[in-house]
Amino acid sequence: MLAALLGAAAVLAGAPPAIAAAPADPTSRFVAVPESPGGSARIRIDTDLYLPAAVPAPAVLLAHGFGQDKADLAPEARRLQALGYVVLAYSARGFGASTGRVGLDSLDGEVPDARALVDVLAEDPAVEQQDGDPVVGVVGASYGGALALMLGATDPRIDAVVAGITWNDLPQALDPVSAGWTRGTPEQRVFKSGWASRLFGAGAADDADPCSRFTARLCALYQRLVTGGSLSDDDLALLRRSSPSSVLADGHGAPTLLLQGLQDSLFGLGQADANQRQLRRAGSTVRVAWFDGGHDGDGVAGTESATDDWLATTLQQHHDPARRFDYDVPASATSFAEHRTASRYPGLDGGARPLLLRFDDDAEQTVVNPPGGQPPSITSLPGIAVDSEAGLAAGGLFAARNPTEQAARFVSPALDSATVLAGAVRTRFRVTPVGAGAQDVVLFAQLTALTGSVSRVLPGGVAPIRVRVPAGGGTVYATLRPTVWRLAAGDRLALTLRTTDGGFVGSTTPAAFRISADGLLVPRLTASAAGGAVGQPSRAVLQRIGVLLALVLLLLLAAVVVGRLRARRAGRAEAAAPVDGPAVRLQGVSKRFRSGFLAVDDVAFTVERGQVVGLLGENGAGKTTTMRMLLGLTRPDSGVIEAFGVRVAPGAPVLRRIGCFVEGPGFLPHLSGRRNLRLHWAATGRPPGEAHLDEVLAVADLGRAVDRRVGGYSQGMRQRLAIAQAMLGMPDLLVLDEPTNGLDPPQIVALRGVLRRYAEGGRTVVVSSHLLGEVERTCSHLLVMSHGRVVAAGPVDEVAGRVDELLLQVDDPAAAVEALRPLGLEAVEATGGDAVRVRPGAVPTSTVLAALVGAGVAVADLRRERRLEDAFLDLIGGPGATR
């Protein structure tokens, strides 16, 4: 996932080599190229050449992601080498050992460099020739993807292009034009500061000079933007020299595969759509694939087979590939992930008649833009998707969620029938300033799918909107970020309009607005057959898996036969057992170890079905011992433990309804994740059809990484595989002990999504963790243990408490108190200095701020006072409580 943060080009190796011969080690060399067109100064490009077992062969030029170098391409280079290609991997100028300065894939730098490398391949006798030209393809993602597109458009020797999760127009990607407009107003932009800072930081070579690796013009441009400036005409011209949009429509027109991720707030589906339209104008054969990955997901992992098929067709078979459209439909609250194929790419309007959804309540809602735009709402962080409207709050269990006073939310009626949303939703709303005069308005639009009480933010990121509205208000027309989502009958769509977003530079002027909205125009796809989409294993891979499975079949046969006999007996016993009762019930449970230590002392609690329960407590509180007794791994000294109304004991049939992860899993590193899961299930003796393997993988969101060797997994991927193993058979109860141990923040966020999606199916989850903030954002209920006893239990809001006070910094506390008294607040008082403390009760925070703005009181800061962390520490006996 961290590679995706930097726009990784290298798809991670997973399939066994297609050629049995051991691959040769690469040959390294530096290639001298002009530093600038027509200049005499030279720079050096560091390259590695991989030769296959048989030559001459088609060649692939492999370009890396931003912040990487040729070493990051080695796994993909070896995989393509094993498939029979000559592979030239290299470090772009300014990265790795290559000299020169980064120009962001400039037509005056990186693109001529790549053409010089094609010259190197053209002169190599190992590269296949056809009609006097080398047979060459170029593959890259993100930074490397834009390079691949621009090289394919400017060099007629390129026979195939694979470009993943990349841009079309760099100004639009980093400083996008407003997604909304009012009639008669000029075009405005909203700077995407989060991603721009992340990328320039990734390219920094010197901590003292973050621009040391970039060209001087790019440094000046970036520094101007981050200090509040705007793009000049010269800036736009410079960035468009680094944009495929400048060359695609009039380019060479090489056959191109466009792989674009749904989970991508950096380069969304709209960038691939623009690339497709321009390539088609140039007469190129284009295939578009939307897959469930991207810069906010697992990069381009899982798209290997799509890449392999494209290269095999164009470079090895010399055929014109089919122009189909492959797309993923992500898992939702009522359905699992699905891969589909359509005969043609429909564009962002979906190709079918759009669905008009009018909002149930179009009444005006008041929103506030806070002073300085702080604190902002958090809808994403660079490389991390946030799938909850509450946002990604920083801090511990009691950190504030996205400020509600900054958001207006409009909800559609329930859908009469199921449909697949695919493309860019359009909307119309009206904004009226609170106060005199026309005002500049900055808003951020986001879509959420509502299934009963479950809400999921649709992938793709927010749409920034900057417009100027007159004093009497104005109508805004907006096109939101493209996305894909399956909506079931009864689902609703919600449009949220926020005044701030931490990923963008918004307005710093305190203001209040009234907003009303009409509805949504939802694009829908034409009917298409399911299956055969991005990431489907190639025939060779499937054959190899079949051979390997056959080799272990004899070893497993005896265990399977014996296991099935046992499973039948257990199944009959379980069928006769009662099925009523809560998911978990403990009554008077105690456990004392031989050392005399009382680990669990008279514990009693109940977990109802459908809850996600967080088990909290200090080290030695008794959490793990309690979990082990619940799983039948440890016998209690006294008390009753039941699951679904059935008494739990070692070997009890009801344990088949419980999946667990309480200790580190033991996976076979030389086998793929999928084969590990299959072997684990086979050892249970239960029928393969009951494993629900595809459903488990969809809920766990492992993607196609499950078909790669476990030995190449990151720690986060191993943890996710362990969760998937616990979910085999889709147990009604999932018990996880510290599943986030050893994970970095992006991996923890990914695991949070896994648990949420599993619970959305109506099952029950019990999870212990020391990460209080994660428990709050993931769980519906809390159970707090200390010194072996339960000290608190109930819904998160009851145990953790709610925000009940606001602390405002104002320029005139006395005037602020007088302005707020008529609102009927529970309490308002000046506390000394420039501070005013407010207990709003039922009065919305937006109303409080609007009253202050209307009275001319300047608000410098707003904080939510939650003294609940102290209360939590009191429950467990203080900050250093241990036994």
Side-chain angles (χ1 to χ4, degrees), residues 5-6 66-68 95 196-205 213-214:
L5 289 172
L6 305 179
F66 196 81
Q68 297 183 322
F95 293 108
S197 298
R198 181 70 183 91
L199 293 175
F200 270 79
R213 187 173 275 171
F214 296 89

Side-chain angles (χ1 to χ4, degrees), residues 214-592:
F214 296 89
T215 65
R217 290 185 66 189
L218 282 176
C219 284
L221 181 155
Y222 171 69
Q223 291 169 350
R224 191 159 50 251
L225 284 176
V226 297
T227 54
S230 57
L231 291 175
S232 66
D233 290 341
D234 287 344
D235 293 335
L236 289 170
L238 175 65
L239 292 180
R240 283 177 178 142
R241 293 291 290 172
S242 296
S243 300
S245 60
S246 62
V247 294
L248 288 186
D250 300 318
H252 162 57
T256 301
L257 172 62
L258 298 173
L259 302 166
Q260 207 73 5
L262 302 179
Q263 308 288 346
D264 207 314
S265 57
L266 177 57
F267 306 131
L269 302 180
Q271 296 286 324
D273 180 74
N275 284 328
Q276 185 269 346
R277 287 185 278 108
Q278 293 164 12
L279 285 165
R280 290 294 300 273
R281 284 202 293 271
S284 301
T285 297
V286 187
R287 180 182 298 171
V288 179
W290 294 350
F291 67 99
D292 197 8
H295 287 87
D296 298 332
D298 288 329
V300 291
T303 61
E304 294 94 337
S305 64
T307 298
D308 295 347
D309 291 344
W310 191 260
L311 295 178
T313 301
T314 54
L315 300 184
Q316 293 179 333
Q317 302 166 14
H318 306 294
H319 292 162
D320 194 23
R323 294 180 175 181
R324 69 172 190 255
F325 172 47
D326 296 328
Y327 63 101
D328 286 0
V329 183
S332 68
T334 57
S335 59
F336 297 107
E338 186 179 0
H339 315 296
R340 295 185 175 187
T341 297
S343 58
R344 66 179 183 85
Y345 173 67
L348 299 184
D349 62 2
R353 183 178 179 180
L355 175 66
L356 176 61
L357 297 176
R358 295 197 178 275
F359 294 125
D360 283 335
D361 184 0
D362 60 358
E364 284 188 326
Q365 301 179 33
T366 300
V367 297
V368 174
N369 187 65
Q374 298 293 324
S377 298
I378 304 297
T379 59
S380 68
L381 294 175
I384 304 174
V386 179
D387 62 0
S388 167
E389 286 184 288
L392 182 64
L397 177 61
F398 310 110
R401 295 171 179 264
N402 277 341
T404 56
E405 67 274 8
Q406 298 179 12
R409 190 171 186 259
F410 304 92
V411 181
S412 77
L415 271 66
D416 294 329
S417 59
T419 190
V420 174
L421 183 165
V425 173
R426 288 177 286 168
T427 188
R428 181 179 67 183
F429 55 91
R430 184 170 182 81
V431 181
T432 304
V434 177
Q439 294 193 32
D440 286 324
V441 180
V442 181
L443 297 171
F444 301 91
Q446 185 177 57
L447 287 174
T448 306
L450 307 176
T451 303
S453 62
V454 177
S455 66
R456 287 283 299 278
V457 171
L458 271 57
V462 300
I465 298 169
R466 184 192 297 271
V467 293
R468 185 165 184 81
V469 296
T475 299
V476 180
Y477 304 85
T479 301
L480 308 187
R481 294 267 292 193
T483 189
V484 176
W485 196 259
R486 181 190 288 103
L487 296 166
D491 284 0
R492 295 167 295 152
L493 276 179
L495 170 68
T496 303
L497 297 168
R498 295 186 177 89
T499 57
T500 65
D501 190 283
F504 294 83
V505 173
S507 174
T508 59
T509 304
F513 308 99
R514 294 192 301 271
I515 303 177
S516 61
D518 295 337
L520 301 170
L521 200 59
V522 178
R524 296 183 291 178
L525 286 175
T526 54
S528 60
V534 183
Q536 182 179 4
S538 65
R539 180 176 299 176
V541 173
L542 291 174
Q543 290 173 343
R544 193 167 296 107
I545 290 175
V547 170
L548 292 174
L549 288 175
L551 291 176
V552 300
L553 183 59
L554 292 176
L555 297 176
L556 291 174
L557 185 57
V560 169
V561 170
V562 172
R564 284 185 176 176
L565 291 174
R566 292 176 177 173
R568 290 192 186 101
R569 289 195 295 269
R572 287 193 293 269
E574 188 172 8
V579 295
D580 294 329
V584 176
R585 187 178 76 89
L586 275 72
Q587 186 65 45
V589 174
S590 297
K591 177 66 179 180
R592 186 184 297 273

Side-chain angles (χ1 to χ4, degrees), residues 797-856:
D797 286 335
E798 289 184 11
V799 176
R802 297 178 179 272
V803 177
D804 54 9
E805 287 188 352
L806 304 175
L807 187 65
L808 300 152
Q809 283 185 299
V810 297
D811 63 342
D812 189 343
V817 171
E818 288 303 314
L820 296 178
R821 287 194 191 281
L823 299 183
L825 305 169
E826 288 185 1
V828 55
E829 61 174 341
T831 60
D834 58 358
V836 173
R837 189 180 303 280
V838 176
R839 195 155 55 245
V843 179
T845 306
S846 59
T847 302
V848 173
L849 294 180
L852 293 174
V853 171

